[in-house]
C-alpha cells in the first residue's frame, strides 16, 4: 500500500487549523451580516423618507409602472378621486372607474408618450364632477418619467392639481363683460 500524500492539515496542528478556519469563516459571515443589516436599515430609512415626502405633498400624486399599473398614490389622490390605494394599486386606469370622465385611451396614450419619449408632459382636463358649480372639475396633470441608470424609463410619476376655482375666476369677467 502506497503512503498517503503529504497533507499539512494532518498531525498535531490539524484541529487548530480547522478551528481557525471555522473561526475566520464565522467572523467574515458576521461582518457580512452586519453590513447587510446596515444596508437594509438605510434602505428602510430612505423608503420611509420617500413615503413621508409623498404624503406631505398637498396635491394628488401617483406612480405607475411601464404597463400603466398604479404602484402607489398619496392621500391627496385618494381624497380627490374618492378611492383607497387598495382599490387601485396593481390595476390600470382601464381596470378602475375612478378616472371616469377622461377616456381611458387618452390616459394610456399619454402615459405611453411620456415613457417612450422620456419627456415630461402637462395636460389640462375638464372632468365631470359632482359638488362643483358647473358640474365640471378642471385639473392639470403633470407626468414625468422615472429613468433608470441605464436610461430606460421604468416608471411614471404624475401630479394632479385642481384648478377649478382658477378657471371659474377667469370665466367671471368674461361672463360679466358679455352682458
Amino acid at each position: 500500500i502506497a503512503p498517503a500524500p503529504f497533507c499539512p492539515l494532518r498531525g498535531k496542528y490539524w484541529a487548530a487549523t480547522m478551528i481557525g478556519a471555522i473561526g475566520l469563516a464565522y467572523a467574515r459571515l458576521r461582518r457580512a451580516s452586519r453590513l447587510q443589516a446596515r444596508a437594509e436599515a438605510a434602505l428602510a430609512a430612505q423608503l420611509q423618507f420617500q413615503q413621508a415626502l409623498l404624503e406631505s405633498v398637498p396635491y394628488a400624486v401617483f406612480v405607475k409602472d411601464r404597463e400603466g399599473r398604479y404602484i402607489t398614490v398619496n392621500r391627496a389622490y385618494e381624497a380627490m378621486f374618492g378611492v383607497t390605494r387598495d382599490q387601485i394599486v396593481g390595476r390600470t386606469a382601464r381596470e378602475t372607474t375612478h378616472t371616469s370622465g377622461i377616456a381611458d385611451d387618452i390616459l394610456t396614450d399619454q402615459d405611453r408618450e411620456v415613457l417612450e419619449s422620456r419627456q415630461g408632459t402637462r395636460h389640462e382636463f375638464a372632468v365631470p364632477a359632482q359638488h362643483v358649480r358647473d358640474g365640471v372639475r378642471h385639473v392639470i396633470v403633470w407626468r414625468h418619467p422615472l429613468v433608470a441608470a441605464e436610461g430606460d424609463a421604468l416608471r411614471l410619476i404624475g401630479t394632479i392639481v385642481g384648478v377649478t376655482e382658477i378657471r371659474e375666476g377667469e370665466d367671471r369677467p368674461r361672463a360679466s363683460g358679455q352682458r
Side-chain angles (χ1 to χ4, degrees):
I1 298 178
F6 173 75
C7 178
L9 297 180
R10 286 198 184 162
K12 59 184 176 179
Y13 301 109
W14 181 82
T17 304
M18 290 305 292
I19 290 172
I22 291 170
L24 181 61
Y26 177 73
R28 287 182 178 168
L29 182 61
R30 290 220 9 146
R31 180 175 185 269
S33 179
R34 279 193 309 271
L35 290 173
Q36 182 175 352
R38 280 188 209 137
E40 288 173 358
L43 179 60
Q46 184 170 357
L47 290 173
Q48 185 178 14
F49 170 76
Q50 288 175 351
Q51 188 64 34
L53 183 63
L54 180 69
E55 294 302 338
S56 70
V57 175
Y59 303 111
V61 177
F62 62 90
V63 180
K64 293 181 178 182
D65 65 13
R66 282 194 68 78
E67 286 75 37
R69 291 184 299 257
Y70 290 91
I71 295 172
T72 191
V73 298
N74 66 354
R75 282 190 288 271
Y77 189 98
E78 291 175 312
M80 178 179 269
F81 290 101
V83 295
T84 65
R85 288 172 203 176
D86 292 338
Q87 292 173 316
I88 60 174
V89 169
R91 295 177 177 88
T92 64
R94 283 191 175 121
E95 297 169 335
T96 66
T97 58
H98 76 284
T99 56
S100 62
I102 304 174
D104 297 334
D105 292 341
I106 292 173
L107 296 175
T108 303
D109 291 346
Q110 290 177 357
D111 290 349
R112 189 176 309 112
E113 172 191 341
V114 169
L115 290 169
E116 289 175 359
S117 71
R118 295 188 186 96
Q119 298 292 315
T121 62
R122 176 193 176 277
H123 296 281
E124 185 166 342
F125 295 101
V127 184
Q130 298 175 359
H131 313 297
V132 179
R133 192 177 78 183
D134 294 330
V136 176
R137 176 172 49 184
H138 296 270
V139 296
I140 297 176
V141 180
W142 281 273
R143 290 181 181 85
H144 190 77
L146 298 173
V147 180
E150 304 84 40
D152 293 334
L154 300 176
R155 295 184 175 149
L156 172 125
I157 186 167
T159 306
I160 305 172
V161 178
V163 293
T164 301
E165 294 82 14
I166 295 170
R167 295 301 175 250
E168 288 175 351
E170 291 171 346
D171 289 342
R172 280 187 209 120
R174 288 185 203 127
S176 63
Q178 292 175 350
R179 292 181 195 177

